[in-house]
Amino acid sequence: MNASLNVLCRSLRPPCKIQDDSRAVQKGDVFIAVKGFRRDGHIFIPEAVKNGAQTLVVEDKENIPSDFEGSVYKVDSTKKIRSQLLNQYYNSPSEKMFCIGVTGTNGKTTTTYMIEHILSAKGWNTGVIGTINHHLNGKVWSSHLTTPNSVELYERLSDFRRLSAQAVVMEVSSIGLDQNRIDGVDFNIAVFTNFTQDHLDYHKDMASYFKAKTKFFELIKESGSNCMAVLNTDDEHIYNYSKTIPLSFVSYGKSGEHFSYEIFHEGLDGIKCNMFYNGDKIPMQLPLIGSHNASNAMAAIAVAVAAGFSFEKSIKCLESFKGVPGRLERIHPSYVFVDYAHTSHALENALQSLQKARKKDQKIIVVFGCGGGRDQGKRKDMGHVAHHYADSIVITSDNPRDENPDKIVQDILQGIPQKDSHVFVHLDRKTAIQKGLEMAQDQDIVLIAGKGHESKQIIGEKEIEFSDVQVCKSILGLS
């Protein structure tokens, strides 16, 4: 960053801020025009000026009003400069906390919550930044993106530090990495949970998607940080990458070289397994359903050990872990579960887990849809998974956005044989959930998949209040 920008950053004082959203700009703020995936921030320079921006950081000056009297800084990459400015403005907050980043297609949220649970139990004041919300010590901020934009991220890190956080655990998305949102964050541990198909509407192909994921570790290497990687080498993509990763790492998984586990019981009451590390074998009873949660637990334990905590005590901590909202969340006292699964791999994990845990005569009914304006390639795969693992299927809407819901349903049906008579379609999600619950007999299992913790349904440009959990409770007479 050039000397003049350094001077600018040091001269900024609250309430003036650095903004990359012209709508958020107030008098005296710095506006950084960033070229994004869908829109170029340079188009909004006039709006930022109108709202009171006194300083502009740009890649070209074309859209700057001729009567603008403030300061203008032209740089090669506003994306890179943005994080540098924010980091300096907020006095490098991540350097003053133990920072853990978790990337991967699935398991990020559960793993971050498990890590938080262990660190908090050991006395570390720990904040979380992720898909569900941002929280620390009972204070909660809403979340709009898995990995927030740089402006929000650095503000939150500063909030955490001001509230005496000793550690922060954050979900790191491929899109966040591609858009340089986490640049400048000083990570101590970086986790890679797994890699399966998702976000191809953004990345276009699996190679680009994987490259975005591994950018996490390349950035850490470039920063010179003394960071440890924690890798799930059960995943073939991650195992192959481990041979070239530019960081020191520990591996985990059923066949992990450093941390491993074996499951000997899966039921609706949870998982029983043995955990192995450094010659030690310790049994664990995890009150969660699904072998994928044993993997998530192993990742969290590996992180805790890398942070200096006891292997055995970390395991015992997780035996009191109650789960995560919208992640195979059980609507007690029924056998109804709500899960965020919105990829074929995640749906397979959820259904396979329920299939292994169910009693002999319990049938599985799944209610799910696919999001509009997102990766269309996974729709057929999700239909195939539902057909393979569930006894009955109810297909519905899941945030159709601007796409025709009927078209989305037809894409899903391509993965289901036409002769399957246990398939029903109800575009209205509440009706679909009601249908699924009505079909259930005695102790049959119903999985409502796709939205999990979400509280809104996006139809066209409208966001309508809708919670799978609350709808289920209402229909079941539990709320």
Side-chain angles (χ1 to χ4, degrees):
M1 185 164 60
N2 64 47
S4 57
L5 279 173
N6 269 316
V7 172
L8 159 67
C9 199
R10 287 196 296 269
S11 68
L12 275 174
R13 293 290 181 271
C16 296
K17 290 185 176 182
I18 299 167
Q19 303 284 6
D20 59 6
D21 183 343
S22 59
R23 297 166 298 181
V25 170
Q26 297 183 14
K27 186 176 180 180
D29 285 352
V30 174
F31 176 68
I32 304 179
V34 177
K35 294 179 179 179
F37 177 61
R38 291 186 175 88
R39 295 180 179 179
D40 184 348
H42 291 76
I43 296 171
F44 302 101
I45 290 174
E47 181 181 24
V49 170
K50 182 180 178 181
N51 289 341
Q54 291 298 303
T55 304
L56 303 174
V57 182
V58 302
E59 291 179 15
D60 67 68
K61 300 180 179 181
E62 183 179 344
N63 291 292
I64 299 174
S66 58
D67 58 351
F68 178 64
E69 297 180 349
S71 302
V72 177
Y73 297 87
K74 186 176 181 299
V75 298
D76 293 332
S77 172
T78 49
K79 280 184 181 179
K80 291 183 178 180
I81 288 294
R82 175 179 55 185
S83 294
Q84 293 177 41
L85 283 171
L86 287 163
N87 194 37
Q88 187 164 322
Y89 175 71
Y90 285 110
N91 195 24
S92 305
S94 63
E95 293 179 9
K96 302 171 180 65
M97 297 179 287
F98 193 89
C99 290
I100 302 155
V102 181
T103 197
T105 308
N106 302 303
K108 294 188 295 297
T109 301
T110 300
T111 302
T112 56
Y113 275 60
M114 286 178 166
I115 294 168
E116 176 203 19
H117 186 77
I118 297 172
L119 299 189
S120 297
K122 297 303 179 185
W124 282 22
N125 193 17
T126 305
V128 172
I129 296 173
T131 305
I132 295 177
N133 59 38
H134 308 165
H135 61 266
L136 172 69
N137 278 346
K139 183 170 177 58
V140 179
W141 297 262
S142 61
S143 174
H144 309 289
L145 299 167
T146 295
T147 303
N149 65 56
S150 297
V151 172
E152 184 180 5
L153 174 60
Y154 274 93
E155 184 175 6
R156 192 68 64 243
L157 291 172
S158 178
D159 289 336
F160 283 0
R161 187 62 199 131
R162 179 171 45 81
L163 294 170
S164 302
Q166 295 165 279
V168 57
V169 193
M170 71 175 74
E171 296 182 47
V172 178
S173 70
S174 59
I175 296 174
L177 285 159
D178 188 65
Q179 295 181 356
N180 299 86
R181 296 179 196 166
I182 66 159
D183 287 14
V185 177
D186 185 22
F187 286 98
N188 299 91
I189 299 177
V191 184
F192 200 166
T193 60
N194 50 64
F195 180 76
T196 61
Q197 182 176 332
D198 199 11
H199 302 304
L200 296 193
D201 54 304
Y202 180 94
H203 296 293
K204 305 307 179 188
D205 56 56
M206 292 292 282
S208 299
Y209 179 31
F210 191 73
K211 184 177 180 181
K213 284 292 187 189
T214 56
K215 182 180 177 181
F216 187 23
F217 306 95
E218 311 299 324
L219 282 171
I220 292 169
K221 178 65 176 179
E222 289 174 11
S223 72
S225 172
N226 185 25
C227 178
M228 170 70 72
V230 175
L231 308 178
N232 176 15
T233 49
D234 282 348
D235 186 294
E236 183 180 4
H237 295 89
I238 298 175
Y239 173 76
N240 291 333
Y241 178 64
S242 70
K243 299 173 183 177
T244 59
I245 188 171
L247 304 176
S248 59
F249 72 92
V250 294
S251 67
Y252 73 93
K254 287 182 179 179
S255 57
E257 181 181 351
H258 303 97
F259 295 86
S260 61
Y261 64 92
E262 61 178 5
I263 299 171
F264 55 85
H265 170 77
E266 287 188 64
L268 294 174
D269 58 339
I271 306 165
K272 294 179 182 179
C273 53
N274 289 319
M275 312 299 263
F276 301 90
Y277 168 65
N278 204 24
D280 291 334
K281 171 185 172 181
I282 299 174
M284 178 174 72
Q285 296 186 38
L286 187 66
L288 300 179
I289 298 171
S291 59
H292 61 286
N293 278 319
S295 179
N296 293 334
M298 192 80 266
I301 291 164
V303 167
V305 172
F309 295 110
S310 157
F311 178 59
E312 182 176 6
K313 290 180 179 179
S314 297
I315 289 172
K316 296 306 175 186
C317 279
L318 285 184
E319 291 189 337
S320 63
F321 182 68
K322 300 302 182 185
V324 178
R327 302 312 191 266
L328 275 181
E329 179 178 354
R330 183 171 174 180
I331 311 298
H332 288 285
S334 67
Y335 286 103
V336 177
F337 296 86
V338 172
D339 193 78
Y340 189 54
H342 58 280
T343 68
S344 58
H345 183 69
L347 185 62
E348 182 175 24
N349 275 341
L351 287 170
Q352 193 175 54
S353 298
L354 293 171
Q355 194 178 74
K356 288 181 179 179
R358 68 177 170 179
K359 298 173 185 176
K360 184 177 179 180
D361 297 326
Q362 286 178 302
K363 288 186 169 60
I364 297 176
I365 300 158
V366 62
V367 181
F368 80 103
C370 291
R374 297 295 186 266
D375 181 4
Q376 296 182 19
K378 67 182 180 182
R379 296 172 185 172
K380 178 181 177 180
D381 293 340
M382 290 182 72
H384 175 75
V385 165
H387 168 72
H388 184 75
Y389 290 101
D391 297 287
S392 296
I393 302 168
V394 183
I395 302 173
T396 187
S397 292
D398 180 351
N399 296 336
R401 300 181 177 86
D402 291 326
E403 199 168 347
N404 184 336
D406 288 308
K407 167 62 167 59
I408 297 173
V409 168
Q410 291 306 312
D411 288 344
I412 295 170
L413 287 171
Q414 289 182 28
I416 303 172
Q418 292 184 3
K419 63 182 179 181
D420 190 335
S421 61
H422 299 283
V423 180
F424 306 88
V425 175
H426 292 281
L427 292 180
D428 179 77
R429 193 170 180 89
K430 182 176 181 180
T431 302
I433 291 172
Q434 187 157 7
K435 172 68 175 178
L437 296 178
E438 289 173 351
M439 290 167 62
Q441 300 293 320
D442 298 325
Q443 294 187 328
D444 286 349
I445 295 169
V446 181
L447 173 65
I448 316 296
K451 294 183 66 61
H453 65 280
E454 292 179 350
S455 60
K456 297 182 187 297
Q457 175 87 314
I458 306 172
I459 301 174
E461 296 294 324
K462 295 181 179 179
E463 291 191 0
I464 300 166
E465 294 294 325
F466 194 96
S467 163
D468 284 354
V469 172
Q470 293 307 316
V471 168
C472 287
K473 287 182 176 181
S474 177
I475 294 171
L476 294 170
L478 299 174
S479 61

